Amino acid sequence: MITNREKISELASGNIYEWFNAQASTKLGLWQTNAIVHAVGFLVSFSIFLYVRDGDWKSIGEVNKVYLLGGVFGALIVFSVMKGITSIGPAYAVSILLISQLLVALLIDSLGLFGVQKVPITLNKIIGIGIMIAGVVVFKLK
Protein backbone atom coordinates (compact mmCIF):
# COMPACT_ATOMS: atom_id res chain seq x y z
CA MET A 1 0.00 0.00 0.00
CA ILE A 2 1.28 3.44 -0.93
CA THR A 3 1.18 5.79 2.04
CA ASN A 4 3.65 8.51 1.09
CA ARG A 5 1.71 11.50 -0.32
CA GLU A 6 4.52 12.31 -2.75
CA LYS A 7 4.42 8.77 -4.15
CA ILE A 8 0.63 8.95 -4.55
CA SER A 9 1.04 12.23 -6.42
CA GLU A 10 3.68 10.67 -8.69
CA LEU A 11 1.41 7.72 -9.44
CA ALA A 12 -1.54 9.99 -10.21
CA SER A 13 0.47 12.33 -12.44
CA GLY A 14 2.35 9.70 -14.43
CA ASN A 15 1.46 6.78 -16.61
CA ILE A 16 0.87 3.76 -14.34
CA TYR A 17 2.80 1.46 -16.68
CA GLU A 18 5.84 3.71 -16.64
CA TRP A 19 5.60 4.32 -12.89
CA PHE A 20 5.43 0.57 -12.17
CA ASN A 21 8.49 -0.02 -14.36
CA ALA A 22 10.42 2.74 -12.63
CA GLN A 23 9.52 1.38 -9.19
CA ALA A 24 10.60 -2.15 -10.17
CA SER A 25 13.86 -0.78 -11.58
CA THR A 26 14.84 0.64 -8.19
CA LYS A 27 15.15 -2.95 -6.92
CA LEU A 28 16.04 -4.85 -10.09
CA GLY A 29 18.01 -2.34 -12.15
CA LEU A 30 16.96 -0.57 -15.33
CA TRP A 31 18.00 -3.15 -17.90
CA GLN A 32 16.83 -6.18 -15.92
CA THR A 33 13.43 -4.54 -15.46
CA ASN A 34 13.37 -3.62 -19.15
CA ALA A 35 14.08 -7.24 -20.12
CA ILE A 36 11.44 -8.62 -17.76
CA VAL A 37 8.81 -6.09 -18.87
CA HIS A 38 9.38 -6.94 -22.53
CA ALA A 39 9.45 -10.69 -21.86
CA VAL A 40 6.12 -10.51 -20.01
CA GLY A 41 4.74 -8.28 -22.77
CA PHE A 42 5.85 -10.83 -25.36
CA LEU A 43 4.16 -13.68 -23.50
CA VAL A 44 0.90 -11.75 -23.21
CA SER A 45 1.02 -10.56 -26.84
CA PHE A 46 1.86 -14.02 -28.15
CA SER A 47 -0.92 -15.60 -26.08
CA ILE A 48 -3.44 -13.11 -27.45
CA PHE A 49 -2.11 -13.71 -30.97
CA LEU A 50 -2.63 -17.46 -30.58
CA TYR A 51 -6.24 -16.78 -29.65
CA VAL A 52 -7.02 -14.01 -32.18
CA ARG A 53 -4.91 -15.30 -35.10
CA ASP A 54 -4.92 -11.95 -36.88
CA GLY A 55 -1.77 -12.48 -38.93
CA ASP A 56 0.07 -14.88 -41.17
CA TRP A 57 3.66 -15.93 -40.40
CA LYS A 58 4.27 -16.54 -44.12
CA SER A 59 3.96 -12.79 -44.75
CA ILE A 60 6.99 -11.92 -42.65
CA GLY A 61 9.20 -12.15 -45.73
CA GLU A 62 7.24 -9.29 -47.29
CA VAL A 63 7.89 -6.92 -44.37
CA ASN A 64 10.70 -4.39 -44.73
CA LYS A 65 13.26 -5.68 -42.21
CA VAL A 66 13.86 -2.15 -40.90
CA TYR A 67 10.30 -2.15 -39.55
CA LEU A 68 11.07 -5.16 -37.38
CA LEU A 69 13.41 -2.96 -35.32
CA GLY A 70 10.40 -1.50 -33.49
CA GLY A 71 11.25 -3.67 -30.49
CA VAL A 72 14.68 -2.04 -30.27
CA PHE A 73 13.05 1.38 -30.13
CA GLY A 74 10.57 0.08 -27.56
CA ALA A 75 13.37 -1.15 -25.30
CA LEU A 76 15.20 2.19 -25.59
CA ILE A 77 12.02 4.16 -24.90
CA VAL A 78 11.13 2.07 -21.83
CA PHE A 79 14.70 2.46 -20.52
CA SER A 80 14.61 6.24 -21.12
CA VAL A 81 11.26 6.63 -19.37
CA MET A 82 12.36 4.56 -16.35
CA LYS A 83 15.60 6.54 -16.09
CA GLY A 84 13.73 9.83 -16.48
CA ILE A 85 11.09 8.97 -13.90
CA THR A 86 13.68 7.94 -11.32
CA SER A 87 15.79 11.04 -12.09
CA ILE A 88 13.35 13.92 -12.65
CA GLY A 89 9.90 12.55 -11.77
CA PRO A 90 7.11 10.98 -13.80
CA ALA A 91 5.17 13.99 -15.05
CA TYR A 92 8.23 15.88 -16.26
CA ALA A 93 9.85 12.78 -17.79
CA VAL A 94 6.69 11.72 -19.65
CA SER A 95 6.13 15.28 -20.89
CA ILE A 96 9.63 15.43 -22.35
CA LEU A 97 9.21 11.99 -23.90
CA LEU A 98 5.89 12.95 -25.54
CA ILE A 99 7.35 16.15 -26.98
CA SER A 100 10.37 14.20 -28.27
CA GLN A 101 8.13 11.62 -29.93
CA LEU A 102 6.00 14.36 -31.47
CA LEU A 103 9.11 16.07 -32.87
CA VAL A 104 10.33 12.79 -34.39
CA ALA A 105 6.87 12.15 -35.87
CA LEU A 106 6.85 15.67 -37.32
CA LEU A 107 10.26 15.04 -38.88
CA ILE A 108 9.07 11.73 -40.37
CA ASP A 109 5.94 13.40 -41.77
CA SER A 110 7.70 16.45 -43.16
CA LEU A 111 10.45 14.43 -44.87
CA GLY A 112 8.15 11.61 -45.98
CA LEU A 113 10.36 9.00 -44.31
CA PHE A 114 9.46 5.29 -44.22
CA GLY A 115 7.02 5.64 -47.10
CA VAL A 116 4.59 8.05 -45.42
CA GLN A 117 3.06 10.84 -47.46
CA LYS A 118 4.92 14.13 -47.02
CA VAL A 119 3.07 16.60 -44.84
CA PRO A 120 4.42 20.15 -44.81
CA ILE A 121 5.41 21.78 -41.53
CA THR A 122 2.97 24.60 -40.91
CA LEU A 123 3.04 27.52 -38.54
CA ASN A 124 0.22 25.90 -36.52
CA LYS A 125 2.38 22.81 -35.90
CA ILE A 126 5.36 24.90 -34.83
CA ILE A 127 3.18 26.98 -32.51
CA GLY A 128 1.60 23.82 -31.07
CA ILE A 129 4.98 22.29 -30.25
CA GLY A 130 6.12 25.61 -28.83
CA ILE A 131 3.07 25.71 -26.55
CA MET A 132 3.80 22.16 -25.36
CA ILE A 133 7.41 23.07 -24.59
CA ALA A 134 6.30 26.25 -22.80
CA GLY A 135 3.82 24.14 -20.83
CA VAL A 136 6.59 21.84 -19.62
CA VAL A 137 8.70 24.85 -18.62
CA VAL A 138 5.76 26.39 -16.72
CA PHE A 139 4.95 23.02 -15.15
CA LYS A 140 8.51 22.69 -13.88
CA LEU A 141 8.68 26.22 -12.41
CA LYS A 142 8.46 26.38 -8.64
Side-chain angles (χ1 to χ4, degrees):
M1 181 171 175
I2 302 171
T3 56
N4 182 325
R5 284 182 189 253
E6 184 177 306
K7 293 296 180 189
I8 293 171
S9 172
E10 286 179 14
L11 180 58
S13 66
N15 182 314
I16 291 173
Y17 162 78
E18 295 159 344
W19 192 82
F20 280 10
N21 291 347
Q23 294 307 304
S25 73
T26 61
K27 301 285 185 200
L28 299 172
L30 292 171
W31 285 109
Q32 182 179 0
T33 300
N34 202 353
I36 292 169
V37 164
H38 280 89
V40 170
F42 169 77
L43 292 174
V44 170
S45 296
F46 192 70
S47 298
I48 293 170
F49 164 74
L50 290 175
Y51 177 74
V52 174
R53 301 276 182 182
D54 68 342
D56 181 9
W57 288 107
K58 297 174 194 165
S59 301
I60 198 163
E62 300 170 21
V63 175
N64 183 333
K65 301 307 179 244
V66 171
Y67 298 149
L68 299 177
L69 294 175
V72 174
F73 295 120
L76 294 174
I77 289 168
V78 169
F79 170 81
S80 299
V81 172
M82 286 188 298
K83 183 69 175 165
I85 287 174
T86 58
S87 299
I88 60 176
Y92 192 51
V94 170
S95 298
I96 291 171
L97 178 70
L98 291 174
I99 291 169
S100 300
Q101 288 180 331
L102 182 60
L103 287 170
V104 169
L106 183 64
L107 183 67
I108 291 169
D109 277 350
S110 66
L111 298 176
L113 300 176
F114 310 115
V116 302
Q117 182 178 356
K118 282 187 178 184
V119 178
I121 297 176
T122 62
L123 182 59
N124 287 352
K125 292 176 184 175
I126 293 170
I127 291 171
I129 290 173
I131 290 170
M132 289 178 71
I133 293 169
V136 170
V137 171
V138 169
F139 183 83
K140 193 64 180 166
L141 292 175
K142 294 193 181 224

